[in-house]
Amino acid sequence: MAVTMPSASPINVLSPNRTPNRPPMQPNVANVVLGNLPIKPWYPSFYPEDMVGGRKTERLYVCQWCFRYTSEIMKYSAHCKVCPLKDEAPPGDLIYEKDDYIIHQIDGEEHKLYAQNLSLLSKLFLDTKSVFFDVSTFLYYPLILRNTSTSSHPYGQIVGFFSKEKMSWDNNNVACILIFPPWQKRGLGQILIAASYELGKREQRFGGPERPLSALGRKGYVSFWCGEVYRCLLASPLKRTVTVKDISEETYILQEDVVAALKEMDVLEKRKTASGSVVVNKSKLRAWAEKNGVSREPIVDVDAFVEKEEEEDEDDEEESEMEE
């Protein structure tokens, strides 16, 4: 299969987001307890000065349902008994439900304290991302895992999230993304990334994550781009010539990210076609997928996204008014 590449070389979109001369900042919390899980923070967060100021806080307790926090275990125990989300679903609207995975959409303007507390916790595991206390311009998408041994909650455990600006001048479909450390290396980040691109398609938001990417984020996104490009190429007719633009428009992945994926997979032949297009070896493509355990099935089920019924509700209201 031939692939026409862009004539201009893309910029290096995979550069890390930490300047070489700046060492990573030390955490201002030694240990965080999320529910009953002790976790070692990686970076400092912007918790109140009277709680984390001066010397490093030895232990911070964070509610696994609402993400409120305290450094006092008695206050934490008392809160956990009466937390309003102890037996309830997370706030916001259900937008995806498939097997053991649930995703909600939370408006930072409507659920300000929840969004702020979630952001404060996430900053403990993110280097350069800033916590926006004015969360009203962001949407948050927590991933809930149903069957987990770490929680007895009837709805499931929030294991990570991504956020995005309601209006992004750069057309980014993700501002911040994180799977909490106890649930990393399970492919859950790929579900969030795939969901962000599917939502981007539905919103006609042709973009990608906010740049530059962290080292961990870069690894996750390259893996996702490679998988999507693989599935797209494998579905194309054998002798058809496709352009990087074609792949980009099919997957909603930016052209420079498509190029990065093709190079990462190392499936391009050295020879070119008469028209100058590069050749993708489908045997190499399949071998790459087998080696990396990449399935031909999409990561998320597009039919599992829950459509809002606002228009139908409005129609029902109008009919009721007419009947009256």
Side-chain angles (χ1 to χ4, degrees):
M1 171 184 292
V3 177
T4 302
M5 304 284 272
S7 55
S9 298
I11 59 173
N12 180 15
V13 298
L14 304 179
S15 56
N17 66 346
R18 182 192 301 154
T19 53
N21 296 327
R22 183 176 71 81
M25 297 179 66
Q26 294 300 312
N28 52 0
V29 176
N31 300 277
V32 62
V33 179
L34 179 62
N36 59 0
L37 288 177
I39 311 172
K40 282 286 186 182
W42 302 345
Y43 306 104
S45 186
F46 304 110
Y47 284 105
E49 188 70 16
D50 59 354
M51 189 173 294
V52 299
R55 61 187 182 84
K56 182 187 291 187
T57 298
E58 182 59 33
R59 188 169 280 106
L60 188 70
Y61 300 93
V62 178
C63 176
Q64 62 184 314
W65 305 304
C66 71
F67 301 106
R68 294 196 183 194
Y69 52 88
T70 179
S71 58
E72 300 179 33
I73 190 168
M74 296 303 292
K75 287 184 178 180
Y76 176 67
S77 298
H79 166 82
C80 288
K81 293 177 181 178
V82 298
C83 177
L85 295 180
K86 180 180 179 181
D87 299 310
E88 301 292 331
D93 300 318
L94 172 70
I95 65 161
Y96 182 83
E97 185 172 10
K98 177 73 172 182
D99 300 327
D100 290 336
Y101 308 114
I102 302 170
I103 299 176
H104 275 220
Q105 176 181 280
I106 298 173
D107 190 326
E109 186 172 10
E110 294 180 19
H111 303 281
K112 183 176 180 180
L113 183 60
Y114 184 95
Q116 287 179 339
N117 288 338
L118 178 58
S119 298
L120 284 168
L121 175 64
S122 69
K123 182 63 186 71
L124 290 173
F125 310 103
L126 296 168
D127 185 2
T128 61
K129 295 292 184 183
S130 297
V131 173
F132 294 90
F133 285 94
D134 181 13
V135 293
S136 61
T137 59
F138 287 83
L139 295 172
Y140 294 79
Y141 296 86
L143 173 64
I144 300 110
L145 188 61
R146 261 209 189 98
N147 296 320
T148 170
S149 60
T150 58
S151 175
S152 58
H153 195 283
Y155 200 74
Q157 172 70 51
I158 293 177
V159 296
F161 77 103
F162 75 88
S163 64
K164 71 179 180 183
E165 293 178 284
K166 296 176 183 176
M167 295 292 293
S168 171
W169 293 107
D170 297 321
N171 227 22
N172 296 323
N173 60 26
V174 164
C176 176
I177 186 168
L178 174 71
I179 295 294
F180 298 133
W183 296 280
Q184 289 179 1
K185 298 182 180 180
R186 301 187 188 184
L188 299 177
Q190 297 292 293
I191 295 174
L192 285 179
I193 295 172
S196 72
Y197 274 94
E198 178 59 30
L199 291 174
K201 287 181 184 179
R202 293 166 184 242
E203 298 167 4
Q204 307 249 305
R205 188 186 294 215
F206 200 100
E210 184 179 296
R211 313 298 173 109
L213 295 168
S214 67
L216 193 61
R218 185 169 70 255
K219 182 178 179 181
Y221 269 94
V222 170
S223 177
F224 173 77
W225 296 332
C226 288
E228 290 295 287
V229 171
Y230 157 73
R231 283 182 279 271
C232 181
L233 289 177
L234 214 60
S236 299
L238 186 60
K239 293 187 178 181
R240 179 191 167 196
T241 297
V242 297
T243 66
V244 166
K245 184 180 179 183
D246 292 333
I247 301 172
S248 179
E249 290 178 349
E250 176 69 24
T251 61
Y252 262 61
I253 297 173
L254 295 173
Q255 292 188 47
E256 56 263 39
D257 298 334
V258 172
V259 173
L262 288 168
K263 291 180 177 178
E264 176 70 20
M265 289 189 288
D266 192 24
V267 294
L268 301 177
E269 297 280 12
K270 293 182 179 179
R271 64 186 177 89
K272 293 185 178 182
T273 65
S275 62
S277 300
V278 296
V279 176
V280 173
N281 186 313
K282 279 202 169 182
S283 295
K284 284 186 177 181
L285 201 61
R286 293 189 185 93
W288 172 86
E290 185 176 350
K291 178 181 177 182
N292 291 276
V294 177
S295 171
R296 294 186 64 166
E297 297 299 318
I299 295 172
V300 294
D301 182 352
V302 296
D303 295 326
F305 282 86
V306 179
E307 298 288 351
K308 289 187 178 181
E309 300 180 355
E310 295 176 350
E311 294 182 1
E312 292 182 11
D313 293 341
E314 291 173 2
D315 291 341
D316 291 340
E317 290 177 5
E318 289 176 4
E319 289 175 5
S320 298
E321 291 173 0
M322 290 175 66
E323 289 172 0
E324 293 173 357

